[in-house]
Amino acid sequence: MAKSKLYGKDLICTRDWSVEELNMALDLAVEMKKKRFSKDHRKILEGRTFLMFFYNPSVRTRQSFEAAATELGAHAQFLEPKSMRLKTSKSAGETIEDAARVMSRYGCGIGVRILEDKIDAYGDGDALLVEYAKYADVPIINMADDRFHPCQGLADVMGLRQHFGSSDLKGKKLLQIWSHGALARSWCSVQESLLINSRFGMDVTLAYPEGYDLDPEVVNQVRANCAKEGARFEIVHDAVAGYEGADVVYARNWMSSVAYDNGFDKQAEVEKALGFSKWICDEEKMEQTPNALFIHPMPVDRGNEVTDEVASGPRSIMYDVAENRLHVQKAVMALTMGE
Ligand code: CP
């Protein structure tokens, strides 16, 4: 594989890539899915190492990146803060500049995950990735930070295209709806979904109870994306109304807009969220749609975010999307790191 025009590029949010670049990754992911385990793919990163730095736990992201590295002929090395000696606000140690410059000499790329409970204020996690990108000579891949989750967004789009049987999502309605839940989720997956799907022309209804506003900068960008595409954008504070006419229901819990105000208190967030018991995606609500697909990035909080009937029902595509994480990450790694 010759170097692509994406060679060396970071992926911190899908909005940093043009629609053409996103389609390049999505098309390659589809091809790689069709020809899985091809010997040709194993040569793309043969003998190289992808460094994966996890501040937070993961099932899908770690396993799919490891599998992606294996299938591209590379090795994925798992790193945690305790395995390094990094400078933090509370302890002396190595700076990000030094870590990024040294890691660039070993790896073909660096993935980083840092979520809400490992930062002091909203945006700090994303800022850490931007700092890695500033100093690293190899691509920085966001494996989920407090603002964005680009690989999840790409896997979502790949799943929707697969199930609609068309790469054109224009005119389809996405209901991005808050769900009550016991996990106090970060905003990264929902913000990435809103950003990428609005660029592909979907009508967007964003539904949540008062007090659960997302990042206003992101929401303004989504509004602008919809306007540019001639698509509808609306915000409703109703647990049911948005289901009408929805082609896709993405029901997911996220933390409130004041979650970081006095330090992140997960228990307080969970207790507050569980009070909104009407905000669950169930069959009765799904019946108001014209047979919508159910989508979720997982891990799913069954019985709180969504009922078992919907999560395991015939219109749920969450396992396909989880599988797609592997294919889109292989494509992103091949395009940004393959020589
Ligand atoms: N969707 C997702 O990123 O899953 P993990 O947290 O298990 O990696």
Side-chain angles (χ1 to χ4, degrees):
M1 182 173 162
K3 272 187 195 173
S4 84
K5 64 183 255 197
L6 286 167
Y7 180 78
K9 201 167 167 85
D10 305 310
L11 180 58
I12 295 179
C13 176
T14 55
R15 66 179 171 179
D16 305 332
W17 286 22
S18 68
V19 166
E20 186 199 355
E21 290 169 336
L22 296 174
N23 276 327
M24 198 186 294
L26 286 162
D27 291 347
L28 181 58
V30 170
E31 192 189 316
M32 287 182 145
K33 184 172 182 172
K34 274 192 207 137
K35 297 182 190 158
R36 187 149 177 217
F37 306 121
S38 155
K39 279 186 185 143
D40 290 342
H41 296 167
R42 285 209 295 278
K43 291 184 195 134
I44 294 173
L45 293 179
E46 191 172 23
R48 307 187 72 190
T49 301
F50 178 65
L51 301 170
M52 306 187 301
F53 187 17
F54 281 93
Y55 283 79
N56 293 81
S58 156
V59 171
R60 277 145 294 275
T61 304
R62 177 178 176 181
Q63 294 175 13
S64 57
F65 266 108
E66 282 201 27
T70 302
E71 292 178 25
L72 294 173
H75 165 69
Q77 186 180 135
F78 177 72
L79 298 161
E80 296 175 281
K82 71 180 182 200
S83 62
M84 302 178 47
R85 281 169 296 186
L86 292 172
K87 182 177 165 144
T88 69
S89 56
K90 297 180 187 87
S91 63
E94 191 158 42
T95 61
I96 289 175
E97 175 177 356
D98 291 339
R101 289 193 194 281
V102 171
M103 288 163 86
S104 299
R105 308 248 175 144
Y106 305 139
C108 57
I110 303 169
V112 183
R113 161 168 288 202
I114 181 160
L115 295 171
E116 61 285 337
D117 56 334
K118 298 291 185 286
I119 54 176
D120 294 328
Y122 173 72
D124 284 0
D126 191 56
L128 179 123
L129 268 93
V130 171
E131 198 172 351
Y132 264 94
K134 180 176 168 189
Y135 295 113
D137 298 322
V138 294
I140 297 299
I141 307 296
N142 185 350
M143 301 196 301
D145 69 26
D146 55 335
R147 300 188 78 202
F148 306 120
H149 196 350
C151 298
Q152 188 64 53
L154 283 165
D156 293 344
V157 171
M158 185 174 172
L160 295 181
R161 287 179 170 184
Q162 182 184 335
H163 282 273
F164 287 131
S166 165
S167 60
D168 188 5
L169 301 181
K170 223 173 174 53
K172 298 259 190 273
K173 174 179 166 180
L174 167 68
L175 170 62
Q176 188 85 53
I177 188 162
W178 185 90
S179 290
H180 83 320
L183 290 170
R185 314 277 191 165
S186 108
W187 295 349
C188 61
S189 298
V190 291
Q191 294 193 156
E192 196 71 60
S193 162
L194 290 164
L195 284 167
I196 192 167
N197 286 309
S198 58
R199 288 176 80 199
F200 283 114
M202 291 190 85
D203 293 325
V204 176
T205 295
L206 177 56
Y208 55 90
E210 303 276 0
Y212 284 85
D213 300 277
L214 294 166
D215 183 333
E217 186 270 326
V218 171
V219 173
N220 284 339
Q221 171 90 67
V222 174
R223 189 179 280 111
N225 291 346
C226 287
K228 187 174 168 210
E229 293 301 318
R232 277 170 55 90
F233 176 77
E234 63 175 353
I235 295 178
V236 297
H237 299 297
D238 189 294
V240 183
Y243 281 81
E244 195 179 334
D247 298 293
V248 181
V249 174
Y250 188 142
R252 160 87 158 173
N253 173 257
W254 65 79
M255 65 178 65
S256 76
S257 40
V258 296
Y260 291 97
D261 281 6
N262 299 306
F264 179 60
D265 182 347
K266 184 167 182 171
Q267 194 51 36
E269 278 294 311
V270 169
E271 281 166 21
K272 185 165 60 175
L274 287 176
F276 293 92
S277 56
K278 274 193 217 154
W279 292 77
I280 180 168
C281 177
D282 57 23
E283 279 189 313
E284 197 183 330
K285 296 189 188 89
M286 289 297 278
E287 275 166 17
Q288 300 196 23
T289 72
N291 207 18
L293 297 171
F294 173 78
I295 188 168
H296 192 287
M298 304 182 81
V300 65
D301 188 2
R302 287 170 180 262
N304 283 321
E305 291 182 312
V306 59
T307 59
D308 283 332
E309 289 75 20
V310 174
S312 298
R315 297 299 285 168
S316 170
I317 65 167
M318 63 183 192
Y319 299 126
D320 291 330
V321 167
E323 180 195 332
N324 289 343
R325 290 288 306 277
L326 167 69
H327 306 301
V328 297
Q329 288 158 201
K330 277 173 76 177
V332 166
M333 290 169 75
L335 290 167
T336 62
M337 301 167 208
E339 293 192 37

